[in-house]
Amino acid sequence: MLKQIDPNKQRVRICLGTGCRARGSIDVLKAFNCEIEKRNLQIQIECIQTGCHGFCERGPVVVIAPKEFFYQKVKPQDVAEIVSKTILNGEAVSRLLYTDPVTGKKAVYEYEVPFYKKQTRPVLINNGRIDPTNILDYIVIGGYQALAKAITTISCEEIINIIEESGLRGRGGAGFPTGRKWRLCRKARGDVKFVIGNGDEGDPGAFSDRSLMEANPHSILEGMIIGAYAIGANQGYLYLRAEYPLALKQIQTAIDQAREYGFLGKNIFNSGFDFDIKIIRGGGAFICGESSALIASIEGKMGEPRAKYIHTVERGLQNKPTNLNNVKTWANVPLIINNGADWYAKIGTAKSKGTGIFSLVGKVNNTGLIEIPMGTSLKQIVYDIGGGIIGSKRFKAVQTGGPSGGCLPEELLDLPVDFEKLTEAGSMLGSGGIIVMDENTCMVDVARYFLDFLQNESCGKCVPCREGIKRMLEIVTNITLGKGKEEDLELLQELAETVKDFSLCGLGQTAPNTVLSTLRYFRDEYDAHVKDKKCPAGICKNLIEYLILDGKCTGCGVCLKLCPQKAIQGEPKKIHQIDSSKCTRCGICRDACPFEAIMIKSDVN
Amino acid sequence: MACDLSEYIKIDNILENNSWEESALISILHEIENLYNYLPAWALRYISEKLNIPMIQVYGVASFYDAFHLKPRGKHLIRVCKGTACYLRGAAQVSEALEKELGIKEGETTPDQNFSLQSVRCLGACALAPVVLIGERYFDKASPTKIRSMLKKVQ
């Protein structure tokens, strides 16, 4: 059956991940198919769609195998040239290559691009190489071998030992040792057990779970089947976020194909082991990333968590022993079975093994999906892989762990990224967003942003979280409006600590992290808002003014025409002025001014 | 109340697809939302009766999750991403400008039922930040000055 895939054939791999798709990669794929048909090249060339290659900033991304030519920002009109030059003659199309902004050097092949060169990608490596809709692609690269090996040659206990020895910890955020969880679930009393894959990636600014589900769904399924076999579960659930329609489609296709090939269903590999997976679509609630809330949601209820002393490994879904892991955790399992526990344990730091997958976003040049060994420093991530800050702005902070995490300042850029170090510094690893902030980011407003998010997402079950977050939001909002009092900061600190200590579930316990970390590292910004009624970053509208600079304004009238408030006055070719009492600080004039003559008041001096 | 019997048959089919199971409530609501673009009150009452789930529980679930809407939505659904990456790159300004242009607030629909404006937590397309999704069409690097041309393109 594998004859259908010829390794020597030239393959055009087009990224159809959400980022590239939004930039028109479907049209590029169509153009390739047309061109190949027009020139009758179907025998020599195969054109496949892949999931996210990771380098979303440069999409649509196209890679030509076997040589791995790497093209970025490809448009349908580039396709004819790529076919003539690269596919037929082996030459690169220079203008589509990635140029390193530091050295000015062009990278011809994918492995030469600095963004990829500085990563270690055992989990993500196949994301850009296989067609997620074709199980044969996954099988050709060694897919389902780990499953065959595990079921036919290793005992259940031994599989759990291997996972435990590898040091794999949960990728969902808390970092609980995976092997230990499996063992607890295996030992728990009950004939019926469940495994769950958590793909309810609710963190704003994180898309690593989505990319993995879209690009390599079989790796997740394979991990889940191995886990279910080791634990003794016959039914699995994959809980998917409502906003991820493409991931839903790819996972559904993958499950259907796995059933067809006998990897799911009755008597897998003639071992007598039965297992199947059902997809559950979430409803778009951040709290459902929490295990007990997610389980309530699968049961068709509101996603409310329950107290932690009832362990889901003993009483989870339908009160039966349930093992829940993040989809990234599951995707690590086949790698460990194939390569051994020692191989995995060699990657990473003493307590955090393996690699971490992160979406690197915000004010950074190379937005994208990255995979790095645990222990890589924040500096390497932001500068070596991320290519530094956009424009000539200064770095201010990096936020990890989504709304549950914290903001870390420049002094901590050398901090190695692992479970312990980030928690010690007042943040957390979380589910995989690394958000870079520059000098134009107001840290008080960032705290307000996350509190606003969290108070919307708080399920309302326990008082500290429901009321505490709301009150914190009120205080921080007042500060951003210039109505803050000095004693507010003390109250804010006290409230934050109370919410952290007394909330029922992980959402509430981690909710104050952004407030606590910004109070700890960016106290001066709070002071500037409270004491001087100034927003140093120029974000908080009540504390800033827009000004037109005398030396730069040419009186062209663009801003005057666009201002929705009619707050700008001036004669043609004479310097214009903004009436601050009418101005709503919407920023349209500043965006539109061709001469960069409009500044925020704190910038003027 | 829906007056047409055929509408109830559609709901029956959805219930049948989900084996009339109480635990499939979220999946059932997704399918009804797909059908009508919101959850009509009569449909909620009907499934409450048919599945023997108290209405308060059906309403609880329907109002708990962001994916469900209790009011009809416009022809074009505008979703402004308010994820962290988009927020940092100015999503709030984009949303405000849209509110002004359309004369509605977030979560509302224009009186002519043409546009609904909604903010979403994260579309996961952070490289395009700030991103606005109108129907199925993505608009990357959105800014208040681009609003009018965006709206024109989808009409």
Side-chain angles (χ1 to χ4, degrees):
Chain A
M1 71 185 180
L2 297 179
K3 274 182 191 156
Q4 291 169 28
I5 290 177
D6 176 0
N8 297 319
K9 204 169 175 178
Q10 295 219 52
R11 284 188 121 191
V12 181
R13 304 194 306 243
I14 301 166
C15 176
L16 285 195
T18 300
C20 287
R21 207 177 264 256
R23 287 194 163 141
S25 64
I26 292 180
D27 293 334
V28 175
L29 174 71
K30 279 186 196 150
F32 265 106
N33 281 331
C34 273
E35 193 66 25
I36 290 168
E37 207 181 295
K38 204 165 85 189
R39 302 199 195 189
N40 245 332
L41 294 168
Q42 291 95 326
I43 299 165
Q44 293 102 303
I45 311 167
E46 185 188 25
C47 191
I48 66 158
Q49 53 161 309
T50 71
C52 179
H53 289 229
F55 205 178
C56 310
E57 189 68 42
R58 298 286 169 159
V61 168
V62 174
V63 174
I64 320 272
K67 279 196 162 172
E68 308 286 306
F69 284 98
F70 178 83
Y71 293 137
Q72 39 129 41
K73 299 193 170 178
V74 179
K75 295 193 177 63
Q77 52 267 38
D78 299 323
V79 168
E81 195 180 348
I82 296 177
V83 173
S84 317
K85 269 198 173 169
T86 311
I87 298 180
L88 298 176
N89 283 319
E91 289 167 29
V93 180
S94 180
R95 72 189 147 83
L96 298 173
L97 297 173
Y98 174 77
T99 310
D100 186 336
V102 184
T103 60
K105 245 180 87 179
K106 289 198 175 209
V108 178
Y109 309 108
E110 189 181 60
Y111 50 83
E112 289 180 343
V113 178
F115 176 79
Y116 293 111
K117 211 157 82 181
K118 295 184 174 147
Q119 298 184 43
T120 309
R121 299 164 64 90
V123 181
L124 291 184
I125 185 80
N126 294 316
N127 266 19
R129 296 198 173 164
I130 56 170
D131 178 350
T133 61
N134 185 353
I135 193 172
L136 294 178
D137 258 27
Y138 183 65
I139 294 173
V140 165
I141 55 153
Y144 289 108
Q145 271 177 20
L147 175 66
K149 186 175 162 189
I151 290 191
T152 55
T153 65
I154 318 178
S155 73
C156 299
E157 283 290 338
E158 191 53 29
I159 294 172
I160 296 178
N161 287 343
I162 293 170
I163 299 298
E164 207 157 25
E165 281 160 24
S166 75
L168 175 65
R169 292 170 65 178
R171 264 32 182 177
F176 192 83
T178 307
R180 201 192 310 162
K181 196 189 245 183
W182 288 18
R183 193 179 300 286
L184 288 169
C185 193
R186 180 172 170 77
K187 280 188 181 159
R189 272 197 283 174
D191 306 337
V192 178
K193 291 177 184 174
F194 297 110
V195 293
I196 299 177
N198 181 356
D200 186 51
E201 186 172 44
D203 288 15
F207 54 91
S208 50
D209 293 359
R210 192 208 67 206
S211 296
L212 192 62
M213 291 187 285
E214 285 175 6
N216 196 353
H218 286 288
S219 64
I220 299 165
L221 301 188
E222 189 178 3
M224 283 181 74
I225 305 167
I226 295 170
Y229 173 71
I231 291 162
N234 300 108
Q235 180 63 50
Y237 292 91
L238 236 168
Y239 189 89
L240 282 189
R241 193 172 158 203
E243 287 95 335
Y244 289 172
L246 183 61
L248 175 76
K249 205 173 123 200
Q250 309 295 50
I251 293 269
Q252 187 62 62
T253 309
I255 289 178
D256 293 344
Q257 291 181 349
R259 272 193 205 125
E260 198 183 313
Y261 281 78
F263 302 131
L264 281 175
K266 298 265 175 221
N267 196 17
I268 298 166
F269 285 109
N270 275 330
S271 61
F273 167 61
D274 304 337
F275 182 65
D276 212 339
I277 298 176
K278 189 176 172 192
I279 297 178
I280 304 283
R281 268 181 82 191
F286 178 64
I287 183 70
C288 289
E290 202 275 345
S291 56
S292 59
L294 185 148
I295 287 169
S297 180
I298 294 182
E299 291 169 349
K301 300 176 190 148
M302 284 188 274
E304 286 179 338
R306 61 177 194 199
K308 272 283 167 196
Y309 63 85
I310 314 164
H311 298 296
T312 52
V313 286
E314 283 156 9
R315 277 166 56 198
L317 186 63
Q318 297 163 18
N319 272 330
K320 307 273 192 264
T322 302
N323 184 89
L324 183 141
N325 284 121
N326 178 273
V327 289
K328 288 181 296 228
T329 317
W330 289 119
N332 272 291
V333 170
L335 294 174
I336 296 170
I337 299 294
N338 273 331
N339 300 308
D342 291 346
W343 165 81
Y344 195 81
K346 273 185 198 140
I347 311 171
T349 59
K351 285 187 176 167
S352 302
K353 300 296 183 193
T355 57
I357 300 175
F358 300 98
S359 38
L360 182 62
V361 304
K363 303 284 187 77
V364 64
N365 277 315
N366 301 336
T367 294
L369 185 68
I370 63 164
E371 183 175 3
I372 41 139
M374 290 285 189
T376 306
S377 76
L378 284 168
K379 195 182 247 162
Q380 284 170 296
I381 296 172
V382 175
Y383 288 94
D384 296 349
I385 299 170
I389 309 295
I390 299 176
S392 51
K393 302 281 188 237
R394 256 179 74 94
F395 171 91
K396 184 184 272 182
V398 61
Q399 207 272 353
T400 65
S404 312
C407 299
L408 304 172
E410 199 170 4
E411 304 91 86
L412 292 179
L413 266 180
D414 286 320
L415 196 77
V417 170
D418 72 9
F419 289 105
E420 278 73 28
K421 289 282 192 284
L422 286 179
T423 309
E424 276 166 32
S427 184
M428 66 184 280
L429 197 65
S431 91
I434 292 186
I435 294 146
V436 181
M437 300 171 178
D438 69 2
E439 58 184 310
N440 284 5
T441 312
C442 169
M443 301 315 288
V444 184
D445 196 56
V446 167
R448 187 202 54 76
Y449 166 81
F450 281 116
L451 286 172
D452 182 50
F453 176 89
L454 287 160
Q455 72 114 26
N456 272 321
E457 296 298 335
S458 168
C459 77
K461 184 169 177 171
C462 74
V463 177
C465 173
R466 184 182 68 225
E467 295 301 323
I469 296 175
K470 211 176 187 115
R471 298 287 96 86
M472 285 198 284
L473 175 63
E474 275 170 12
I475 296 173
V476 174
T477 306
N478 271 337
I479 296 175
T480 61
L481 292 172
K483 295 177 193 161
K485 296 189 279 286
E486 278 187 48
E487 58 268 29
D488 281 352
L489 298 182
E490 210 178 308
L491 179 62
L492 188 62
Q493 178 93 26
E494 195 189 323
L495 255 174
E497 280 161 13
T498 309
V499 174
K500 194 182 173 100
D501 290 344
F502 296 102
S503 290
L504 178 69
C505 81
L507 186 144
Q509 287 155 14
T510 56
N513 276 351
T514 322
V515 168
L516 288 169
S517 64
T518 45
L519 275 172
R520 178 169 164 192
Y521 299 117
F522 301 94
R523 179 73 183 220
D524 53 331
E525 287 198 35
Y526 280 91
D527 286 339
H529 283 74
V530 173
K531 291 180 190 157
D532 311 331
K533 308 291 176 207
K534 269 186 186 163
C535 174
I539 294 292
C540 299
K541 283 182 176 178
N542 275 26
L543 307 177
I544 55 164
E545 270 182 334
Y546 279 82
L547 262 193
I548 297 181
L549 293 177
D550 291 3
K552 286 192 172 174
C553 177
T554 62
C556 71
V558 167
C559 58
L560 186 142
K561 272 184 219 134
L562 283 173
C563 178
Q565 301 301 318
K566 310 227 178 309
I568 300 178
Q569 293 136 14
E571 304 272 312
K573 299 198 177 160
K574 284 187 183 154
I575 295 164
H576 288 29
Q577 277 184 333
I578 300 176
D579 178 349
S580 213
S581 62
K582 284 188 189 167
C583 172
T584 59
R585 284 97 175 143
C586 69
I588 289 180
C589 54
R590 188 163 170 246
D591 275 354
C593 177
F595 307 101
E596 293 181 5
I598 300 177
M599 304 290 269
I600 289 169
K601 197 168 183 181
S602 53
D603 289 348
V604 178
N605 302 323
Chain B
M1 244 2 187
C3 39
D4 204 345
L5 190 66
S6 66
E7 298 301 316
Y8 288 99
I9 294 169
K10 283 182 196 163
I11 306 286
D12 277 341
N13 288 338
I14 290 175
L15 293 171
E16 182 65 40
N17 287 343
N18 288 283
S19 321
W20 303 83
E21 264 182 48
E22 194 185 322
S23 66
L25 180 60
I26 294 176
S27 161
I28 292 166
L29 294 182
H30 270 303
E31 288 186 42
I32 299 177
E33 173 97 20
N34 278 351
L35 195 62
Y36 298 103
N37 220 7
Y38 81 110
L39 300 176
W42 61 264
L44 295 182
R45 261 183 240 117
Y46 186 67
I47 55 173
S48 153
E49 214 171 278
K50 286 281 170 177
L51 296 181
N52 205 12
I53 310 175
M55 184 58 189
I56 189 166
Q57 204 175 317
V58 177
Y59 178 79
V61 170
S63 57
F64 185 87
Y65 294 101
D66 288 349
F68 305 128
H69 303 87
L70 299 170
K71 282 184 190 157
R73 292 184 297 160
K75 192 171 135 206
H76 301 285
L77 177 61
I78 307 175
R79 283 182 281 192
V80 183
C81 181
K82 291 251 179 108
T84 321
C86 289
Y87 150 76
L88 286 177
R89 295 191 187 177
Q93 285 87 323
V94 174
S95 172
E96 263 173 44
L98 276 165
E99 285 185 343
K100 257 186 206 147
E101 183 66 29
L102 297 168
I104 51 170
K105 294 270 164 216
E106 258 177 31
E108 293 178 354
T109 300
T110 51
D112 62 359
Q113 298 283 313
N114 206 12
F115 290 106
S116 285
L117 183 62
Q118 193 189 332
S119 70
V120 288
R121 292 173 314 178
C122 186
L123 291 167
C126 307
L128 315 174
V131 56
V132 174
L133 184 62
I134 306 183
E136 301 276 297
R137 192 166 167 174
Y138 287 87
F139 291 90
D140 64 339
K141 314 227 152 134
S143 74
T145 42
K146 290 186 190 163
I147 298 271
R148 281 189 192 158
S149 76
M150 272 164 41
L151 293 177
K152 250 184 213 155
K153 276 182 194 157
V154 294
Q155 295 238 38

